[in-house]
Structure formats: structure tokens, C-alpha cells
Amino acid sequence: MGHASAALPVIDLASPDIGAATKSIRQALVDYGFFYVINHGIDDALMKSVYAESASFFQQPMEEKMALHKNSSHRGYIPPDFEGFEADAGGKGDLLECFHIGSGVDGDSKNPVNQWPPAERFPYWKETMKSYYQCAMGTSKRILSLIALSLDLDAEFFKPDGSETILRPIHYSGRAIESKHGSDHGANAHTDYGMLTLLSTDGTPGLQICRDKDGRPQLWEDVHHIDGALVVNIGDLLERWTNNVYRSTLHRVLMVGKERYSVAFFVWPSPDMMVTCIECCCSEANPPRYPPIRSDEYLEQRLTSTYKYK
């Protein structure tokens, strides 16, 4: 069965017309919760290196990868069929494997919780991932300032500094892994729960979005690959912050019988940020739906419900 294609807006981050860019972003986040960015400042050569490093790690035997199995800080390797999204699908896990690299990549953190593959076999992994992390952070800040301006806020309103930001290289094997649940989804339907997600893919199709979370039957639209563009979406925290004016959209990855690599970058506000309904998003007719909550408390609640078993 063919799917409709999502006609997502394309935002040019190098455009001097800030007014037009904020207007497009506002439209995109009201209608889709997703958009593309071009001229995002992440160099093509760096992108290629990230994919090369990622592939060399994921091609190792499972026991080598499991030596870096995620620690209590959710950093490191996460094997397939582990992440239990979509409880209503019988809690089946995803057919993807991934690696979590978090803030403090500069090594100046007092608590260096990141794990790194052995340097003698992966001499460029750490440097490559650190460079990508820093570039993706720069891009995220530019996007967040446009989102802030689209809500009549100060450009610096969303402060992602010191936040629990995660860089996640992902690999889908392409063949249905012998999952104990017989799932054909690389990633089950879910919404992201942070503030912003940047996604780069290798061009293999499979990403789909569902604009109406509550609609039955669910209608899925394909998100096509655009060379040189990143796919950007917002998470539940930003939906909550905007009192559901901006939408965090359900998305999934279908297996298309082909191996697939992607790189996701999840951005949170700083941990002590109070998430309180933004002024232009509430009124007498539309009062705040959610009580204020600290960013780190919200993250903790959501992580606890996703990782039911360690």
C-alpha cells in the first residue's frame, strides 16, 4: 500500500530573511511538528566520517559491542530489541541498535560518563563524534533561536547549555532480526520527548510521520530524503511548553529490506529550566493544560518509563 508523502517545509538557515524563516517554522510546527533544514552548517565531509565510524563500530561482533553496553547514565551501546516504545504494541522493542554519546564530550566534565570504543581499533571515532556533537549543537541553537522568535520570545530563550543532550548513531540491519515479537518496525511509533531532534539519514527510506496522534485508523506519510538536508522535529517537552500549539508528531521507521544508518541528535533545555506555559500560547479561552515542571524532572519521568529494564 503506497503512502502519501509529507510536504514538509524546507527552512534555509543561511537565509537573511529571519521574518520569513520564523513564519515558516511556526507553520511547520503547527501543521507537522517536522521540517527540513538546509545550509545547516554541518560539513559534508564530517557527515561522511560519522557514517564511516558508525558503520565500522556496528559491523563488529555482538560481544565486542556489548563490552560497551550502556551504563547507568544511558551512555554507550544499546542492542536491538531493547527500547520498549509503544506499550500498546505489546511492548515489542525496536529492531535497531544504537550508541549514546552525551554532553561532557569535551572531557572537562567532572563525571565523564561517556563510553568510547578502544582507540587502538577506532582511532578517529571519539574525535569525529565530538566534532559532530559540537556542530550539531551549533545548528540546534540556531534553530531554537528561530523557534523562540516564532513564539515572540527572546532569541536566547531556549537555553540548551548544560543540558542532557544525546548524539545517537543508529543502525537498522535491514533484515528482520529474529525478534521475539515478530516486529517489522525498525523503530516503533513514538514521539520524542525532549525539545528538539536533528536527524541525518543515509537516504534509505523508511521514516514516516502520523500527524493525528489520536486519529483511527492512523494515517502515515513518508518523509523523503533530501540530499544535504537534515530532518528536524520537536519533542513532547516543547509541545507541553507551547500548550499543544506546536506539535510533537508520532513517527516510526519501517524496515524496507535494506540496511539503514542514521544519526540523531536530541536536545534538552538546561536541567534547572522551568517549563511553564509560554505566554502567547495560553489565554482565557485556552488556559495552560500542564503544571510547570523542571526540565530534569520531566526527563527523569520519561526515561524511567522508556527503560523499564536495565
Side-chain angles (χ1 to χ4, degrees), residues 207-218:
L207 178 63
Q208 297 183 324
I209 63 173
C210 172
R211 284 195 270 173
D212 183 358
K213 288 184 248 216
D214 307 313
R216 293 292 178 270
Q218 287 179 335

Side-chain angles (χ1 to χ4, degrees), residues 15 17 23 28 66 69 73 90 124 139 149 187 210 228 257 278 297:
S15 165
D17 190 344
K23 209 172 143 202
M66 287 303 282
H69 190 239
S73 301
Y124 307 113
T139 303
L149 293 170
C210 172
I278 290 165
E297 285 172 19

Side-chain angles (χ1 to χ4, degrees), residues 41-289:
I42 300 175
D43 181 75
D44 215 34
L46 173 57
M47 203 71 110
K48 284 194 172 72
S49 314
V50 170
Y51 280 99
E53 291 298 318
S54 171
S56 67
F57 177 81
F58 289 125
Q59 281 157 12
Q60 295 185 101
M62 185 53 86
E63 59 272 19
E64 299 284 327
K65 294 185 281 196
M66 287 303 282
L68 293 171
H69 190 239
K70 79 166 189 72
N71 55 25
S72 57
S73 301
H74 303 291
R75 306 291 172 79
Y77 176 68
I78 299 176
D81 222 355
F82 179 83
E83 294 206 349
F85 287 121
E86 223 185 81
D88 59 353
K92 54 192 181 189
D94 294 332
L95 302 186
L96 60 82
E97 52 181 346
C98 59
F99 199 96
H100 279 192
I101 300 157
S103 33
V105 285
D106 302 332
D108 52 9
S109 152
K110 310 205 180 5
N111 176 20
V113 291
N114 281 312
Q115 304 199 65
W116 304 105
E120 59 279 7
R121 274 190 301 143
F122 297 91
Y124 307 113
W125 167 281
K126 186 175 178 178
E127 233 16 79
T128 302
M129 295 301 171
K130 276 171 67 168
S131 299
Y132 188 82
Y133 188 102
Q134 281 146 1
C135 289
M137 197 67 195
T139 303
S140 301
K141 285 180 173 174
R142 280 157 66 196
I143 296 167
L144 285 168
S145 71
L146 290 174
I147 293 177
L149 293 170
S150 78
L151 293 161
D152 299 320
L153 299 165
D154 180 79
E156 301 300 305
F157 178 84
F158 295 111
K159 299 187 187 63
D161 298 310
S163 70
E164 189 56 42
T165 300
I166 294 284
L167 168 57
R168 175 198 264 190
I170 305 169
H171 173 234
Y172 303 86
S173 74
R175 61 181 194 285
I177 296 167
E178 279 311 307
S179 160
K180 53 185 177 289
H181 312 294
S183 160
D184 60 348
H185 289 168
N188 285 311
H190 65 285
T191 51
D192 293 342
Y193 39 72
M195 189 159 63
L196 191 72
T197 306
L198 302 190
L199 180 73
S200 157
T201 80
D202 63 0
T204 305
L207 178 63
Q208 297 183 324
I209 63 173
C210 172
R211 284 195 270 173
D212 183 358
K213 288 184 248 216
D214 307 313
R216 293 292 178 270
Q218 287 179 335
L219 297 174
W220 291 93
E221 297 172 87
D222 291 315
V223 175
H224 289 296
H225 177 76
I226 298 182
D227 273 343
L230 295 173
V231 176
V232 179
N233 65 282
I234 62 166
D236 299 339
L237 188 74
L238 199 58
E239 180 178 79
R240 178 183 177 124
W241 223 330
T242 61
N243 211 26
N244 295 10
V245 172
Y246 285 0
R247 305 170 50 178
S248 120
T249 299
L250 208 53
H251 52 287
R252 67 183 184 188
V253 175
L254 288 188
M255 299 301 244
V256 293
K258 228 178 124 187
E259 193 175 32
R260 181 178 193 270
Y261 284 92
S262 63
V263 184
F265 187 71
F266 301 99
V267 186
W268 283 79
S270 52
D272 55 357
M273 185 87 167
M274 281 307 291
V275 178
T276 305
C277 183
I278 290 165
E279 239 173 86
C280 73
C281 300
C282 54
S283 61
E284 270 181 47
N286 185 23
R289 298 158 191 253

